[in-house]
């Protein structure tokens, strides 16, 4: 490959157009095939539901989001598509980063095991190999705000790799003991988001085999349209932004995740830092270029409450009428043999964040339900694709 071709491949994702219309984003006919030489990466926490049931949902989400943070830090200014799935993540990167990607994943696996006693399963495969196996990988960009975009994956390739990773047929070995990834920016400091309309719903919908993209699109478009018509905004966070408390509920998890063997010192540093942040948010005072009210509002805009990854995933704050209609709509589609779906209800949601700089507006925030969320919803699907 020439230098020009390699540069074009590197910039493939950054050159894709973005859309602010989620209905268009969820239409796979608008998605673009990834280059053959790009690499698809999938991670997944084994027995995540058990960990969530024991109260470790914040830990599961932080470890689930860790590959995105690690690759952002590894690739620096390279833009790449990623999707957060609650107990894991999917992403794609230029092929010439294969060696470093394998290294990052092996370190992440070791870190998750030694720090949190979680088995982070991980695997990667080239787009060309997935295509040769009969699976496509396409992507698109959804602009959640003017500063943050999230990716879609379609074509079945990502789901296929996920199945291979879960079965152990594709895997990355653990690195040497005590290796630690660069997780700069990974945090979970906001207070939980309480439902303002009734129930927080975590929803996962996938087409069954042989259902066309058009058939699945009609089902999802009908669902999205009705949800919006019922007044259930796609904003999970209020216009004022999420709330803060001191100490933040996830501070000890963040300290262990990013502090290594010096996590107690990291905890003390985070305590001092977050006390100052709490004062700023309570008083509304600005400090240097940091405006807490602006940051909180921007968090709401940047949150990923809807996503597409070989199917539709949503976290919705909805009323009882919407929830009942949604269940009936989904049951009818499943009875017709068109979809598999899983749905979990809870009273709260929470955010896991990647904030490289709080002074910029490009911080990203992943939302999930606080009673199992996406991981629990996935276990309810027909066929039980075990997390």
């Amino acid at each position: 490959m020439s230098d020009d071709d390699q540069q074009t491949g590197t910039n493939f994702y950054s050159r894709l157009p973005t859309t602010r219309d989620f209905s268009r984003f969820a239409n796979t006919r608008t998605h673009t095939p990834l280059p053959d030489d790009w690499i698809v990466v999938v991670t997944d926490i084994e027995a995540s539901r058990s960990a969530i049931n024991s109260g470790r949902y914040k830990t599961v989400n932080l470890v689930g989001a860790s590959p995105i943070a690690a690759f952002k830090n590894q690739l620096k200014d390279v833009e790449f598509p990623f999707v957060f799935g609650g107990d894991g993540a999917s992403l794609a990167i230029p092929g010439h980063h294969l060696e470093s990607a394998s290294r990052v994943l092996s370190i992440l696996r070791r870190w998750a095991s030694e720090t949190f006693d979680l088995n982070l399963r991980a695997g990667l495969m080239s787009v060309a190999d997935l295509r040769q196996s009969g699976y496509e990988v396409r992507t698109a960009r959804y602009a959640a705000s003017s500063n943050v975009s999230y990716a879609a994956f379609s074509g079945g390739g990502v789901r296929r790799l996920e199945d291979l990773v879960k079965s152990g047929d594709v895997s990355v070995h653990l690195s040497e003991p005590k290796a630690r990834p660069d997780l700069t920016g990974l945090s979970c400091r906001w207070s939980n988001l309480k439902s303002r309309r009734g129930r927080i719903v975590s929803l996962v919908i996938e087409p069954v085999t042989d259902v066309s993209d058009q058939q699945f699109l009609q089902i999802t478009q009908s669902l999205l349209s009705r949800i919006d018509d019922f007044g259930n905004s796609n904003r999970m966070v209020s216009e004022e932004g999420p709330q803060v408390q001191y100490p933040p509920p996830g501070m000890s998890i963040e300290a262990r995740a990013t502090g290594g063997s010096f996590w107690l010192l990291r905890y003390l540093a985070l305590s001092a830092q977050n006390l100052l942040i709490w004062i700023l948010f309570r008083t509304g005072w600005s400090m240097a270029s940091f405006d807490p009210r602006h940051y909180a509002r921007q968090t709401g805009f940047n949150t990923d409450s809807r996503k597409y990854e070989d199917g539709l995933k949503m976290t919705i704050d909805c009323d009882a009428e919407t929830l009942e209609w949604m269940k009936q709509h989904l049951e009818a589609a499943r009875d017709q043999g068109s979809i598999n779906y899983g749905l979990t209800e809870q009273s709260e949601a929470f955010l896991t964040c990647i904030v490289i700089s709080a002074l910029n507006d490009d911080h990203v925030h992943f939302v999930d339900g606080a009673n199992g969320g996406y991981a629990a919803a996935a276990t309810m699907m027909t066929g039980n694709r075990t997390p």
Side-chain angles (χ1 to χ4, degrees), residues 198-257:
R199 299 295 285 169
I200 302 290
V201 174
S202 301
L203 179 62
V204 179
I205 315 171
E206 294 181 353
V208 301
T209 305
D210 297 330
V211 168
S212 70
D213 290 344
Q214 184 59 32
Q215 288 175 297
F216 188 66
L217 177 64
Q218 290 175 348
I219 295 168
T220 57
Q221 298 289 47
S222 173
L223 179 69
L224 291 167
S225 176
R226 188 63 178 265
I227 289 172
D228 290 339
D229 287 347
F230 273 44
N232 297 273
S233 169
N234 63 358
R235 283 177 56 94
M236 274 297 303
V237 183
S238 68
E239 290 188 7
E240 297 77 22
Q243 300 299 306
V244 297
Q245 67 185 68
Y246 186 80
M251 191 169 68
S252 62
I253 301 171
E254 181 183 344
R256 292 184 64 199

Side-chain angles (χ1 to χ4, degrees), residues 9-170:
T10 299
N11 293 334
F12 161 77
Y13 184 68
S14 64
R15 292 178 175 178
L16 290 182
T18 61
T19 179
R20 296 296 297 270
D21 180 356
F22 189 86
S23 295
R24 177 176 173 78
F25 176 72
N27 182 352
T28 58
R29 291 177 298 181
T30 69
H31 296 183
T32 303
L34 270 77
D36 270 348
D37 65 336
W38 272 49
I39 304 297
V40 178
V41 175
V42 167
T43 63
D44 168 80
I45 298 173
E46 185 177 20
S48 58
R49 185 65 193 274
S50 176
I52 290 168
N53 288 343
S54 65
R56 303 180 67 197
Y57 61 90
K58 286 185 178 291
T59 300
V60 167
N61 267 228
L62 186 135
V63 174
S66 64
I68 300 172
F71 277 94
K72 276 182 168 288
N73 291 319
Q74 176 70 27
L75 301 184
K76 304 301 182 185
D77 296 329
V78 176
E79 289 192 60
F80 59 90
F82 59 82
V83 178
F84 169 69
D87 60 350
S90 306
L91 55 97
I93 61 173
H96 58 277
H97 291 291
L98 174 60
E99 185 176 344
S100 62
S102 298
R103 175 66 176 162
V104 167
L105 290 174
S106 67
I107 292 174
L108 282 166
R109 292 200 64 208
R110 175 64 69 179
W111 161 81
S113 175
E114 291 183 346
T115 306
F116 296 112
D117 193 26
L118 293 173
N119 180 22
L120 181 66
R121 300 179 287 201
L124 41 74
M125 185 178 291
S126 73
V127 172
D129 285 345
L130 285 165
R131 286 190 177 125
Q132 193 170 26
S133 300
Y135 300 91
E136 183 56 84
V137 187
R138 300 185 294 262
T139 192
R141 298 179 69 186
Y142 170 64
S145 70
S146 57
N147 301 284
V148 168
S149 65
Y150 292 102
F153 286 121
S154 63
V158 170
R159 193 196 311 178
R160 173 57 177 166
L161 181 55
E162 181 185 347
D163 289 341
L164 291 171
V165 167
K166 288 182 176 181
S167 68
D169 293 326
V170 174

Side-chain angles (χ1 to χ4, degrees), residues 290-318:
F290 179 71
D291 180 346
R293 291 196 174 104
H294 172 79
Y295 181 86
R297 288 193 298 269
Q298 194 64 44
T299 295
F301 292 125
N302 291 2
T303 298
D304 75 328
S305 57
R306 299 181 179 187
K307 62 192 79 182
Y308 196 97
E309 183 188 28
D310 283 329
L312 184 64
K313 295 181 179 180
M314 294 191 291
T315 302
I316 316 161
D317 187 357
C318 66

